[in-house]
Amino acid sequence: MRELVFIFATSIIEHNPKLQRVYSSIYPKHLDPPYSHFSGLKTFQYPLGLFDCNENKTQELIALLKKLSNDFIPYKNGNIVEPVFFGGDRLTDERVQSAQKAIKNAVTAREKLEGFISKIEDFHRLMNFLEAIAKLTFSTESGQDPGTLYFYRNLLNHRGFK
């Protein structure tokens, strides 16, 4: 509703010369999105390390998620303040979602592990892409082609690059 009022008021001010003289300098030109104050902030990532957990077994994954939930999810009065992204490959994402579904009948949000938003990181695909680019652009035959890795290796005289 707020957006509709803004669009309507902006249109009236813009097309009425008397209102434009009075309100054009004080009425905002655009609405600030609710999360715009977050747009310039740096994202923090914390590697959690390795855990002795078999993610093929749902019970072990649930136990791990409960431990991580207690350590990393901010709670206030038993409620989740802000959910946290939990990244992994496609299989890990699917297993985390399955673990959350397995305990969906729990009472509280903490017990349901709703503090995690699982997402796919796709680092395997990115690594494969980078390897393909390296193979295509690092060839001894491309030493004279600008833009290839082998060209820049020769240009910079960086003989240790492989």
Side-chain angles (χ1 to χ4, degrees):
M1 187 65 170
R2 181 174 171 241
E3 291 88 0
L4 185 61
V5 169
F6 176 77
I7 291 170
F8 187 70
T10 304
S11 178
I12 289 174
I13 291 169
E14 191 175 303
H15 293 95
N16 187 324
K18 290 181 182 177
L19 291 176
Q20 192 173 17
R21 271 181 273 150
V22 175
Y23 292 108
S24 66
S25 62
I26 59 173
Y27 199 75
K29 302 289 183 224
H30 62 86
L31 280 179
D32 288 330
Y35 296 104
S36 65
H37 58 281
F38 289 115
S39 64
L41 299 177
K42 179 169 175 45
T43 303
F44 294 102
Q45 293 184 359
Y46 300 101
L48 301 178
L50 297 175
F51 293 93
D52 187 24
C53 170
N54 184 357
E55 68 178 29
N56 293 327
K57 297 180 180 176
T58 306
Q59 292 304 320
E60 286 187 30
L61 189 58
I62 290 172
L64 173 65
L65 289 174
K66 284 182 180 180
K67 179 190 180 325
L68 294 175
S69 178
N70 290 332
D71 293 344
F72 296 104
I73 306 295
Y75 292 100
K76 185 174 185 179
N77 299 331
N79 297 324
I80 298 168
V81 175
E82 186 176 354
V84 174
F85 286 108
F86 188 88
D89 60 0
R90 292 180 189 274
L91 193 56
T92 301
D93 175 59
E94 180 182 330
R95 289 179 175 154
V96 167
Q97 289 181 10
S98 295
Q100 287 175 326
K101 286 179 186 173
I103 55 174
K104 192 132 184 107
N105 291 336
V107 179
T108 65
R110 176 180 261 180
E111 291 171 354
K112 292 179 188 178
L113 301 174
E114 290 178 350
F116 290 114
I117 301 171
S118 68
K119 66 179 192 132
I120 299 169
E121 294 289 343
D122 272 345
F123 41 81
H124 296 297
R125 186 182 331 161
L126 178 62
M127 190 63 186
N128 291 340
F129 173 73
L130 293 175
E131 284 179 9
I133 294 297
K135 285 179 184 175
L136 289 173
T137 61
F138 190 77
S139 168
T140 55
E141 298 160 0
S142 66
Q144 299 299 316
D145 299 334
T148 63
L149 288 175
Y150 202 77
F151 173 81
Y152 288 114
R153 173 193 175 264
N154 292 340
L155 180 70
L156 299 172
N157 199 24
H158 190 4
R159 301 290 179 220
F161 182 80
K162 296 184 187 210

